[in-house]
Amino acid sequence: MAVNEDLADRIRAALVRAGSSWEERRMFGSRCFMVDGEILVCARGTGALLVRCAEGDRERLLQRPGAAVALMGRREMSGGWLDVAGDSVETDAVLDSWVAAALRRRQR
């Protein structure tokens, strides 16, 4: 499955706006954006955003439009991994808020 390059470009811009430095790698059929070797967010080939949030924020973030517990194949991913439907991150403000949630996890 091809990576959603438009979403990957938008994630790069969101990380610049957040003032964060990062590296990116292809893994799991996605383009993953990492800080200090830890995944923050990924652009999935489906157009969905994979977000790693703090476990304490998980239930609150699941209430947001398009958010669901992330799946790897048929299995639920543990911890704070969430999938966000691509049509739920159409604006930069919403994408920025998901990137901010991933960055907050790193601050704890």
Side-chain angles (χ1 to χ4, degrees), residues 5-104:
E5 293 298 337
D6 179 55
L7 181 57
D9 289 342
R10 292 182 59 229
I11 292 169
R12 286 184 202 97
L15 288 165
V16 168
R17 286 190 296 274
S20 183
S21 60
W22 74 93
E23 62 182 283
E24 57 185 90
R25 295 189 185 153
R26 284 185 181 262
M27 34 173 113
F28 318 118
S30 302
R31 175 75 49 111
C32 296
F33 296 83
M34 307 166 70
V35 172
D36 296 329
E38 291 186 5
I39 297 172
L40 291 176
V41 295
C42 300
R44 291 191 162 206
T46 61
L49 178 69
L50 177 66
V51 179
R52 188 175 188 189
C53 65
E55 287 189 53
D57 291 342
R58 182 178 182 221
E59 292 307 314
R60 178 181 54 80
L61 292 171
L62 279 170
Q63 303 306 308
R64 294 180 63 182
V69 174
L71 300 176
M72 185 64 68
R74 294 182 185 180
R75 301 181 74 190
E76 284 189 5
M77 294 176 70
S78 63
W81 293 100
L82 302 177
D83 267 330
V84 183
D87 61 357
S88 296
V89 290
E90 289 182 338
T91 68
D92 289 344
V94 173
L95 180 59
D96 287 353
S97 71
W98 283 108
V99 169
L103 289 168
R104 272 193 307 276

